[in-house]
Amino acid sequence: MSATANPSETHAATTPLLRVEDLTVELGHGVAARRVLRSVSFDIPRGSTLALVGESGSGKTTLARTLVGVHRPSSGRILVDGAPLRPARGRAGAATVQMIPQDPYSSFDPRRTVAQSLAEALDPVRARVGPARARIAELLGQVSLDPDGMDRYPHEFSGGQRQRLAIARALAPGPRFVIADEITSALDLTTQAEILNLLADLRRRLSLTMLFISHDLAVVRHVSDSVAVLLHGDLVELGPTGATFAEPSHPYTAQLLASVPGDPRFRLDEEPATV
C-alpha cells in the first residue's frame, strides 16, 4: 500500500519561502513621485540564497526596505509561504524578516551594551537582559564571539566583530527570511572572507533563506544559488548563479561580469560602457 503525501508537506516542498509578484514601488508624492521598482518578480526557495546585484540607484535597497516594511508597494504582492507578508508589528512581525545592515556601528545604540541590544531584539516589549543571558550567550557563540563580551559596548568591538553582532541581532527573533544588505562592502578582504564563511556556516546549520544584496559579483558567485540583476528599477536577469555567470542573457549583466577580475571577460585595458 503506497503512502499518501501529507498536503502540508507537499505545500512546503513546492511553495517558495518568499515570492515577489509584479512589485512596483514609487517614492515621493505628487509631482515629486518617482518609480523606483517596476513589476519585479522572483522566488526564493526555502534554504536558498538569491543575490541581488546592480549599480547604485538600481533599486536594490528600496527592494530590501520594502520587504521589511519601510516602504509600501504601489502594486504587486509579497508572499511568505504563500501568505501575504504583513507589516512588522512587535515580536511576531519582526520574526518574519530581518535585515543585516551595511553599517552595523550606526545601527547600534552606543549607549546600550551588546546584551541590551540583543535582549531588545529577542523581546522588543520587555527587553530584559537577565532572563535572556543564556540565549544571548548562545547567539554570540553562533557568530564566533566570546559571550563574556555581552556587557561591552559596540565601540569596543572591531568592524568585523560589529558585523558579527549585527548578524546575531538579526538571528535573535528566529526570522524565516534574512536580508544581507552590502554587509561586506566596508570590510577588508580578510574580514570579508571570514564573514562570508560565517554566513555559509549559518546557512547550513540554520537552513537560512536569504536575499544577499551586493555590487560585488566575485562575492555573489561565492555565496548565492541564484542571481537577480536590477537596472534602473527593472529586473533584467534572473537565473542560477553558475548559468548566469557562464552565459548572461542581458548585455548589462555581461558588462558587470566584465568588471570582475578573474572572469574571462575581464579586461584591464578597457573601461565598461556607461549605462
Side-chain angles (χ1 to χ4, degrees), residues 51-69:
L52 183 66
V53 301
E55 62 192 10
S56 296
S58 62
K60 302 190 303 294
T61 297
T62 296
L63 177 56
R65 290 167 69 86
T66 303
L67 292 176
V68 296

Side-chain angles (χ1 to χ4, degrees), residues 207-219:
S207 298
L208 289 179
T209 304
M210 186 181 306
L211 178 67
F212 188 90
I213 300 174
S214 181
H215 65 277
D216 188 333
L217 273 82
V219 170

Side-chain angles (χ1 to χ4, degrees), residues 161-172:
Q161 289 173 326
R162 286 196 294 267
Q163 194 56 274
R164 290 173 185 268
L165 291 173
I167 293 171
R169 183 178 57 185
L171 296 177

Side-chain angles (χ1 to χ4, degrees), residues 47-242:
S48 69
T49 296
L50 171 69
L52 183 66
V53 301
E55 62 192 10
S56 296
S58 62
K60 302 190 303 294
T61 297
T62 296
L63 177 56
R65 290 167 69 86
T66 303
L67 292 176
V68 296
V70 175
H71 301 315
R72 296 181 67 88
S74 303
S75 62
R77 297 196 303 168
I78 302 169
L79 306 174
V80 176
D81 264 342
L85 178 65
R86 305 298 181 189
R89 290 187 179 91
R91 190 173 184 176
T96 301
V97 182
Q98 283 285 299
M99 183 184 291
I100 307 167
Q102 178 178 0
D103 179 8
Y105 188 69
S106 64
S107 70
F108 279 97
D109 185 337
R111 300 165 297 180
R112 290 177 173 265
T113 64
V114 166
Q116 288 172 325
S117 292
L118 292 182
E120 183 178 33
L122 286 165
D123 188 344
V125 177
R126 297 180 181 84
R128 293 185 297 173
V129 171
R133 291 188 77 87
R135 175 60 177 149
I136 292 169
E138 181 184 3
L139 286 166
L140 293 176
Q142 281 185 336
V143 297
S144 301
L145 289 176
D146 188 347
D148 290 342
M150 71 170 68
D151 294 316
R152 294 163 58 191
Y153 291 87
H155 73 269
E156 299 180 69
F157 293 84
S158 69
Q161 289 173 326
R162 286 196 294 267
Q163 194 56 274
R164 290 173 185 268
L165 291 173
I167 293 171
R169 183 178 57 185
L171 296 177
R176 303 171 70 187
F177 176 65
V178 174
I179 302 170
D181 186 11
E182 299 275 13
I183 64 170
T184 61
S185 62
L187 304 175
D188 61 70
L189 291 177
T190 299
T191 308
Q192 278 188 30
E194 293 173 353
I195 295 297
L196 293 175
N197 288 335
L198 171 63
L199 281 180
D201 180 58
L202 289 170
R203 177 182 164 185
R204 285 191 299 269
R205 288 193 286 123
L206 304 178
S207 298
L208 289 179
T209 304
M210 186 181 306
L211 178 67
F212 188 90
I213 300 174
S214 181
H215 65 277
D216 188 333
L217 273 82
V219 170
V220 163
R221 179 157 44 187
H222 179 71
V223 303
S224 66
D225 300 294
S226 54
V227 59
V229 181
L230 279 176
L231 175 62
H232 306 318
D234 294 311
L235 190 66
V236 297
E237 184 109 38
L238 177 65
T241 301

